[in-house]
Every structure is written in C-alpha cells, then in structure tokens.
C-alpha cells in the first residue's frame, strides 16, 4: 500500500497499523473501506480496520485492488476516500496441499497449512494459519513494551459451477487471538489486552446473459467481538 499514490501507512506499535488515503485523520482512519473477497472487514464500532487481524493469510492473497475516489454508492458505507479489495486465490488455482513455516527475531513466527480439492463441479480451499510476535523492542509511551500478537485464522472458499453460465461462490473466515495493549494511563494495574473473535460469511451467485452482460447477487454476514478486561 505504500506504493499507492496518496496512501499514508504508519506503524504505531507492534500490532497497530494506521493506514489511510490522503493522510486524513490518520489516528482514526475511518473513511477507507477494506474488503476480503468482497466482504468488508471494517469495524463500525471502532471506526477503523485492524490490519494485523485481517482474516486472511499472506499465502492466500492473489492480488490487491485499490480503488480511489468517492465510491460509497458502489461499495457501501465507509468508502468515502478509497476501497482496498484483497482477493484470495481461486480454489482451482492452488496446489492440493501446502505447508509453510517461518520464524525470526522478536519471537516472530508464521505457520500456514492449506488443502484444496475438487468434488465434481465444486472446487474448495481451506487454509489454517497461526501468527505471533513480541512487538517492538520498546514503546515510547511505556517503560516496558507490551504490544505482542498471537493470532489464529481459518479461511474457506468454494466455487461451484451450477450451469454453463452460472456459478455459486461461498466464503467463510474466522480470526481469533490476543493483541497486547500498553497502559493508557498511570492508574492502570493490569494491561487492557484485546481478546478478539471475528467471523465472516459470504455467498455470491453469478449468471451471464451474454459476453457483455452479467447479473450478480451477494449476501454477507460479519461478526466482530472484542473483549478487554483490566483493573485500575
């Protein structure tokens, strides 16, 4: 996204990225929508997108499309400045099985496993991912850095060819884990870490009438749950 003209990318802490178009309201970037296979991952209750907690593994991403301009009418709310659409790999375009693992400094690790299969006219893909790190070496507003991440993801996508001109796509994604949060004020006695549990479900039916005319119907459901408990 740093290569997109006008895009502002700020890494605040180990698990906190602030990304916005034209740099407007960078502390709470609430005017840019982000989609994963057409399903919005924008959090209305917090007016932001948590980039570290996206329900998709890097290995599953086929391409990222950025549409700049006032596109609210086409992409729904929170699409005033730009829309980032993350498109995952089609189930028919991946290997039957794949496992990858990486590890590095700051206790960082990333483990991904993916399986794919064809059942008649239906192609399916299932990906499991676990990621974690210990965040920054130090945080400017905290004597002891406390910004590590531990996440687990599940991503499912299927494509069924119903007829020669129509198809049905199904998507499901789950993300859960803990992102650590440093002290906000001096009266706190325990860290207000964020325990998240996100669920996304979507379906899209498409039919073609001619090489230049197509009809699509899409239905999406998303649920965002964040629990923070601390003493002060």
């Amino acid at each position: 996204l740093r290569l997109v003209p006008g895009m502002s990318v700020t890494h605040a802490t180990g698990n906190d990225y602030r990304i916005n178009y034209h740099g407007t309201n960078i502390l709470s970037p609430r005017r840019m929508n982000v989609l994963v296979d057409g399903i919005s991952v924008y959090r209305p209750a917090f007016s932001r997108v948590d980039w570290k907690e996206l329900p998709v593994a890097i290995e599953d991403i086929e391409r990222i499309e950025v549409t700049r301009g006032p596109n609210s009418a086409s992409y729904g709310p929170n699409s005033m400045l730009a829309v980032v659409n993350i498109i995952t790999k089609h189930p028919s375009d991946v290997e039957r099985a794949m496992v990858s693992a990486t590890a590095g400094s700051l206790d960082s690790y990333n483990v991904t496993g993916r399986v794919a299969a064809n059942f008649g006219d239906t192609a399916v893909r299932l990906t499991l991912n676990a990621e974690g790190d210990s965040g920054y070496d130090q945080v400017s507003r905290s004597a002891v850095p406390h910004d590590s991440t531990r996440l687990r993801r599940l991503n499912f996508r299927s494509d069924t060819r119903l007829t020669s001109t129509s198809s049905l796509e199904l998507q499901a994604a789950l993300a859960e884990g803990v992102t650590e949060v440093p002290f906000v004020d001096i009266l706190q006695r325990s860290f207000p870490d964020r325990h998240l549990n996100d669920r996304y479900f979507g379906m899209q039916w498409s039919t073609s009438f001619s090489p230049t005319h197509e009809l699509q119907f899409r239905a999406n459901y998303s649920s965002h749950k964040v629990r923070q408990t601390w003493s002060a």
Side-chain angles (χ1 to χ4, degrees):
L1 292 177
R2 288 188 175 96
L3 302 178
V4 178
M7 195 72 73
S8 174
V9 179
T10 302
H11 193 181
T13 62
N15 52 35
D16 186 3
Y17 286 84
R18 310 291 177 90
I19 302 177
N20 208 340
Y21 185 59
H22 280 325
T24 60
N25 203 357
I26 190 63
L27 295 181
S28 181
R30 62 179 184 270
R31 299 186 179 97
M32 185 177 70
N33 200 0
V34 179
L35 313 174
V36 177
D37 287 332
I39 302 178
S40 176
V41 294
Y42 183 90
R43 298 175 182 268
F46 298 99
S47 298
R48 60 182 293 180
V49 173
D50 289 312
W51 294 89
K52 190 74 172 182
E53 303 163 7
L54 294 181
V56 60
I58 293 293
E59 290 81 358
D60 277 347
I61 296 178
E62 177 184 351
R63 67 184 187 274
I64 299 176
E65 299 177 349
V66 179
T67 304
R68 298 175 289 166
N71 303 290
S72 302
S74 300
Y75 294 94
N78 312 114
S79 307
M80 184 180 299
L81 293 179
V83 177
V84 178
N85 190 13
I86 302 173
I87 300 174
T88 63
K89 296 179 180 178
H90 193 276
S92 299
D93 296 335
V94 298
E95 58 280 323
R96 300 301 90 183
M98 183 276 292
V99 176
S100 68
T102 60
S105 58
L106 299 178
D107 301 323
S108 62
Y109 66 89
N110 193 308
V111 181
T112 303
R114 180 174 63 208
V115 294
N118 291 319
F119 302 97
D121 294 329
T122 300
V124 299
R125 170 182 56 77
L126 178 66
T127 304
L128 300 175
N129 171 262
E131 177 188 0
D133 59 61
S134 60
Y136 273 2
D137 286 324
Q138 62 182 18
V139 180
S140 59
R141 64 179 183 229
S142 175
V144 178
H146 189 81
D147 58 347
S148 66
T149 305
R150 296 180 300 277
L151 294 174
R152 296 174 298 276
R153 301 180 179 92
L154 181 149
N155 192 283
F156 170 84
R157 180 180 173 183
S158 72
D159 183 272
T160 302
R161 177 61 60 179
L162 301 177
T163 65
S164 59
T165 59
S166 63
S167 63
L168 177 66
E169 290 188 17
L170 301 176
Q171 300 106 15
L174 307 175
E176 64 176 10
V178 179
T179 57
E180 295 181 347
V181 180
F183 285 145
V184 178
D185 60 68
I186 61 175
L187 299 180
Q188 289 178 310
R189 292 297 175 261
S190 64
F191 291 104
D193 296 339
R194 304 172 71 253
H195 300 258
L196 65 106
N197 190 313
D198 294 346
R199 303 170 186 270
Y200 305 88
F201 302 95
M203 62 83 64
Q204 176 177 292
W205 173 77
S206 304
T207 183
S208 298
F209 301 106
S210 70
T212 57
H213 294 80
E214 184 182 63
L215 175 66
Q216 291 186 352
F217 174 80
R218 168 174 287 275
N220 300 326
Y221 170 82
S222 62
S223 170
H224 309 114
K225 295 182 180 180
V226 177
R227 177 172 55 86
Q228 288 181 273
T229 304
W230 69 91
S231 60

